Amino acid sequence: MVCYSYNHLREIEGKLAHDPHHQNDNTTLKTTRLVLVSGPVIVGAGPSGLAVAACLKEKGVPSLILERSNCIASLWQLKTYDRLRLHLPKSFCELPLMPFPKHFPTYPTKGQFIGYLEDYAKKFDINPMFNETVEKAEYDQTLGFWRVVTSKKGCTKTEEGLGMVVKTEYVCRWLIAATGENAEVVEPVLEGLEEFGGPIVHTSLYKSGEMFRGKKVLVVGSGNSGMEVCLDLCHHNAMPSIVVRDRVHVLPQEMFGRSTFGFSMWLIKWLPITLVDRLLLIIAWFILGDTSKLGLIRPQMGPLQLKKLSGKTPVLDVGTLDKIKRGDIKVCPGIKCLSMHNNVEFINGRIENFDAIILATGYKSNVPYWLKERKMFSQEDGLPRRPFPNGWKGDHGLYAVGFTKHGLLGASMDAKRIAEDIGRCWIITESKPSYYL
């Protein structure tokens, strides 16, 4: 049962009835319905969307989550490899209002994290609308509300048999973008891609190295995913090489028995960031040695400064570096082109044959594709124009969660801010008469 403010409902219904853009398509292939939502509409049922929904519920504010997939945390459930663990300690990755179980290890596994998210949704009675793909979200200046249009394949067997698409328009006062930084895969443009004879897959489709056992595999991308995929390939007796096009910071996952992330957060409370960077690099040199000798040249800017200014995350080594030192993983320069017979030519002129290529080239935001707003979000990268911690709020009741480039910790901080902000408005709204549909 959803409660709608009486003062606004009649006005919205009257205006929409005379809106030429809101007319049902009477063809047999499409049907449109209207849903008036009293609380915020949240786009995305990943950790960020769940976090803000829980924080809103604590404030007494109902919300509606729209999710294009058929499950919560679809990136984690459907597009991650089997050996994945949280790269940061669980204390920095828990969502608001519910800590991880005490028996979980410091770095929970993929399965444990998914289980935690499912328990989180149950605890706060969060029930997203699945298989709802947001096609467009736009602020209606006349109404003073957001109009969110979604599409969904037929909800009943009859509709599915007819190939019917159900269009729904949600009208709401507050809109929260929670699709995050990792909504769509990024695939590089490689010359000769069509000529390469072997399989080319993105890490979103990679589960384990079992299918590559005994094969030469080229991994494109030297971030945390690329490094960990190489390690996984080694564990399955494949022969991986990794393309390192840019300079990269590699740090040990732990220093002095504690996580590197936690250690650096502690240091930064007392020291300037430039000094903390110097200390981290000195310690990393003692633990890992000179990575430039392995083809992993460090950027001139320190790891924390680089993260702050560009969002580029340093690689936290979980064993890959030892494999590189032993020669189990080869480091290659950038790719010039691919060619027939599974050949890859590198920018240094060397040509080598590979059985398969794995693209560890990351993800990007998809906000520009569906949100018709240009002030808060950049159309280039789909991220808030204002940097963290000020990118969570826009105009006309628009909010963003999960775009901080500070992981789950940043998302949790934004979720709390958004709930606090909407909660204040909700108290005023709830004091007005209402009726139920």
Side-chain angles (χ1 to χ4, degrees):
M1 185 178 292
V2 183
C3 173
Y4 303 106
S5 172
Y6 178 79
N7 292 332
H8 295 96
L9 183 60
R10 290 184 62 187
E11 178 185 357
I12 295 171
E13 288 179 330
K15 289 179 178 178
L16 287 176
H18 295 88
D19 186 347
H21 299 291
H22 180 72
Q23 299 295 330
N24 285 352
D25 187 339
N26 294 320
T27 66
T28 58
L29 297 179
K30 188 184 299 182
T31 182
T32 305
R33 64 192 183 104
L34 172 67
V35 178
L36 305 173
V37 183
S38 57
V41 166
I42 303 168
V43 183
S48 299
L50 299 179
V52 73
C55 291
L56 285 165
K57 180 155 286 191
E58 187 201 27
K59 301 291 183 183
V61 183
S63 61
L64 177 68
I65 300 182
L66 303 176
E67 168 57 46
R68 66 180 176 178
S69 188
N70 62 354
C71 61
I72 64 169
S74 61
L75 178 67
W76 277 86
Q77 297 212 52
L78 306 177
K79 298 182 178 180
T80 52
Y81 41 91
D82 295 339
R83 67 163 284 123
L84 180 63
R85 287 177 174 266
L86 293 178
H87 290 135
L88 302 182
K90 60 184 180 182
S91 58
F92 295 104
C93 300
E94 60 189 26
L95 300 186
L97 310 174
M98 180 175 149
F100 280 99
K102 291 183 179 179
H103 68 272
F104 273 26
T106 302
Y107 303 96
T109 65
K110 168 185 172 178
Q112 289 172 327
F113 184 58
I114 292 172
Y116 166 77
L117 294 178
E118 290 175 339
D119 290 342
Y120 190 86
K122 289 178 184 177
K123 177 178 180 178
F124 296 102
D125 193 26
I126 301 171
N127 300 291
M129 302 289 288
F130 293 119
N131 301 307
E132 294 264 5
T133 300
V134 175
E135 294 185 348
K136 181 176 71 171
E138 190 170 14
Y139 184 72
D140 190 315
Q141 295 284 351
T142 303
L143 287 179
F145 281 70
W146 287 90
R147 300 170 67 164
V148 184
V149 179
T150 69
S151 64
K152 182 177 184 178
K153 290 185 179 179
C155 303
T156 67
K157 290 184 178 180
T158 302
E159 291 173 340
E160 290 175 354
L162 293 172
M164 183 176 289
V165 175
V166 178
K167 294 268 188 176
T168 304
E169 182 173 359
Y170 297 91
V171 179
C172 57
R173 178 177 294 181
W174 302 283
L175 176 64
I176 304 173
T179 47
E181 306 156 8
N182 303 314
E184 303 290 344
V185 300
V186 174
E187 295 187 352
V189 177
L190 297 174
E191 183 182 342
L193 191 68
E194 299 80 8
E195 299 179 20
F196 187 81
I200 301 176
V201 298
H202 191 272
T203 48
S204 59
L205 300 175
Y206 177 91
K207 293 303 177 183
S208 81
E210 180 61 37
M211 65 178 294
F212 300 101
R213 187 177 295 274
K215 296 181 179 180
K216 290 185 63 178
V217 183
L218 181 65
V219 178
V220 181
S222 55
N224 280 294
S225 293
M227 292 287 190
E228 195 160 2
V229 165
C230 280
L231 184 61
D232 188 58
L233 288 166
C234 284
H235 290 166
H236 288 87
N237 295 321
M239 295 166 281
S241 297
I242 186 168
V243 172
V244 181
R245 295 174 295 174
D246 304 317
R247 293 171 177 252
V248 59
H249 277 300
V250 181
L251 302 176
Q253 190 176 38
E254 294 189 342
M255 293 179 174
F256 305 119
R258 60 189 301 182
S259 76
T260 297
F261 181 80
F263 180 59
S264 49
M265 291 301 98
W266 178 77
L267 285 175
I268 212 164
K269 292 180 181 179
W270 313 100
L271 302 171
I273 190 170
T274 52
L275 185 53
V276 174
D277 270 340
R278 290 178 187 175
L279 288 173
L280 291 178
L281 292 177
I282 290 172
I283 297 170
W285 186 86
F286 275 108
I287 296 174
L288 303 177
D290 184 0
T291 60
S292 65
K293 294 181 178 179
L294 306 174
L296 304 171
I297 302 173
R298 295 189 181 279
Q300 292 185 346
M301 186 177 290
L304 297 186
Q305 278 187 298
L306 191 63
K307 173 68 175 175
K308 182 179 179 180
L309 295 178
S310 71
K312 188 173 182 180
T313 303
V315 172
L316 296 176
D317 180 55
V318 292
T320 308
L321 221 57
D322 279 341
K323 295 291 185 181
I324 294 176
K325 291 175 181 178
R326 294 174 187 173
D328 296 329
I329 299 172
K330 293 174 59 178
V331 175
C332 303
I335 295 174
K336 181 179 180 181
C337 66
L338 311 180
S339 59
M340 293 185 294
H341 309 299
N342 295 20
N343 286 328
V344 177
E345 182 179 353
F346 298 97
I347 57 175
N348 62 0
R350 190 175 90 243
I351 298 176
E352 196 168 341
N353 184 271
F354 293 94
D355 297 305
I357 296 176
I358 297 174
L359 303 175
T361 45
Y363 298 83
K364 64 179 179 180
S365 165
N366 68 357
V367 169
Y369 298 108
W370 57 268
L371 181 61
K372 308 308 174 185
E373 187 274 350
R374 295 180 178 274
K375 184 176 179 181
M376 181 179 182
F377 283 88
S378 166
Q379 297 301 299
E380 295 180 3
D381 60 13
L383 303 178
R385 296 182 187 277
R386 299 175 67 186
F388 180 80
N390 301 311
W392 60 276
K393 184 177 181 180
D395 295 334
H396 308 302
L398 177 62
Y399 298 89
V401 59
F403 298 89
T404 64
K405 295 185 179 180
H406 285 70
L408 294 167
L409 181 62
S412 296
M413 293 170 66
D414 279 355
K416 295 175 184 177
R417 294 188 182 105
I418 293 169
E420 187 72 31
D421 197 58
I422 295 177
R424 287 192 292 266
C425 301
W426 182 258
I427 293 173
I428 298 173
T429 302
E430 281 293 274
S431 65
K432 299 178 181 180
S434 59
Y435 70 85
Y436 294 86
L437 294 179

